[in-house]
Amino acid sequence: MATTLLFVDADNQAPILATTLTRFLKTIGRESAKAIVAGNGVGDRVRNWELALKEARPDIEVACHVAPPRKQSADVRLMFELAPFYHGQPDSAVLLVIFSRDDLLVAAAECLVQKGHNAMVVVGSSSNGTSLVTDVPVVVLPSPQVAAAQVAPAPIHDVATARPANQSDTKPDNAVVTTAITKIRQQLKPNKQGGYAASAVGQVLAQLGHDKANRTKIVKQIPNLKEVGTGPEKRLIF
């Protein structure tokens, strides 16, 4: 029997995509699925994903994991869940779907495919048009606004996407920075000591579709930015 396992990075992808995700699985004949959801405990992301998946597909089995509030802790938790497959024998009936843009999990998908497993990466459409650079199949789900007018999901891309040579030299548009600031203030509560946890800010930007390099550029462009603390205690005041 065909089995589909979803590995959802709740810190990286928004739960509003749950309906589009389950519709995509139905389109490819993979309605029977189990979801493993991980997040770092900042806010209610894991719970929101569980509720969204259950609403989209009431019979889906969802395993939730709240990781410590540290950078990439959700990625690490999902990689622990993926480890048995990496060390196990490939099964042609099993499809591993990794729902994240994070480099660690994209690399995990590449390792699984190299081992002979059926694995793909699924992401929500990026507001800045950034493409993942990988040779594993990637499915880009339309945003909820676009999804209402579409039936079929975005196509699977089997080839690597070339990164523009001068991409690292470009600065984000002011509109992109403004949108990011608005989203941060909507989703996050200021720390009692002032500002926002740097890791939480990074997660909000990731949900908007920005990769690590662009997240760094956007943060540097925030007006009157002040950085306080280091490591997991780092705060961004603006």
Side-chain angles (χ1 to χ4, degrees):
M1 179 179 177
T3 301
T4 305
L5 298 176
L6 302 174
F7 297 86
V8 179
D9 182 355
D11 295 339
N12 185 266
Q13 298 292 303
I16 198 171
L17 291 166
T19 299
T20 313
L21 175 61
T22 55
R23 185 185 300 130
F24 162 68
L25 294 176
K26 182 178 180 180
T27 301
I28 63 173
R30 290 279 184 166
E31 293 184 78
S32 178
K34 175 182 178 181
I36 298 92
V37 182
N40 74 1
V42 176
D44 298 317
R45 297 188 185 98
V46 173
R47 177 61 174 163
N48 289 343
W49 256 107
E50 180 183 21
L51 293 174
L53 286 168
K54 287 288 188 180
E55 181 179 356
R57 187 162 184 79
D59 61 341
I60 192 171
E61 181 182 350
V62 183
C64 295
H65 303 284
V66 177
R70 290 181 177 275
K71 186 178 180 180
Q72 297 180 323
S73 60
D75 297 358
V76 173
R77 189 64 181 83
L78 289 175
M79 290 180 74
F80 279 132
E81 296 292 328
L82 289 164
F85 297 97
Y86 179 80
H87 294 290
Q89 293 297 317
D91 185 341
S92 60
V94 176
L95 174 63
L96 307 175
V97 179
I98 298 175
F99 199 21
S100 178
R101 284 182 176 273
D102 280 351
D103 291 340
L104 278 176
L105 291 172
V106 173
E110 293 169 345
C111 290
L112 289 164
V113 169
Q114 290 173 1
K115 284 281 189 174
H117 294 278
N118 296 322
M120 66 168 58
V121 174
V122 178
V123 296
S125 59
S126 171
S127 60
N128 62 1
T130 302
S131 299
L132 293 178
V133 180
T134 181
D135 57 0
V136 303
V138 175
V139 173
V140 181
L141 299 179
S143 64
Q145 292 83 359
V146 178
Q150 293 184 349
V151 175
I156 296 176
H157 303 288
D158 288 333
V159 296
T161 303
R163 186 184 300 275
N166 63 344
Q167 186 178 26
S168 60
D169 299 327
T170 60
K171 292 183 178 180
D173 293 336
N174 290 335
V176 172
V177 177
T178 301
T179 299
I181 293 172
T182 300
K183 199 72 172 179
I184 290 166
R185 288 175 172 160
Q186 287 176 345
Q187 293 195 12
L188 303 178
K189 293 182 179 180
N191 190 289
K192 292 180 180 180
Q193 297 174 312
Y196 306 92
S199 59
V201 169
Q203 289 154 16
V204 172
L205 296 179
Q207 288 182 350
L208 289 174
H210 301 292
D211 60 17
K212 185 176 181 180
N214 279 323
R215 295 198 294 266
T216 300
K217 294 177 187 177
I218 290 170
V219 168
K220 290 183 179 300
Q221 290 293 107
I222 294 176
N224 303 316
L225 174 69
K226 182 179 179 182
E227 299 183 11
V228 179
T230 59
E233 303 299 324
K234 184 176 181 179
R235 290 177 288 121
L236 304 178
I237 300 175
F238 54 90

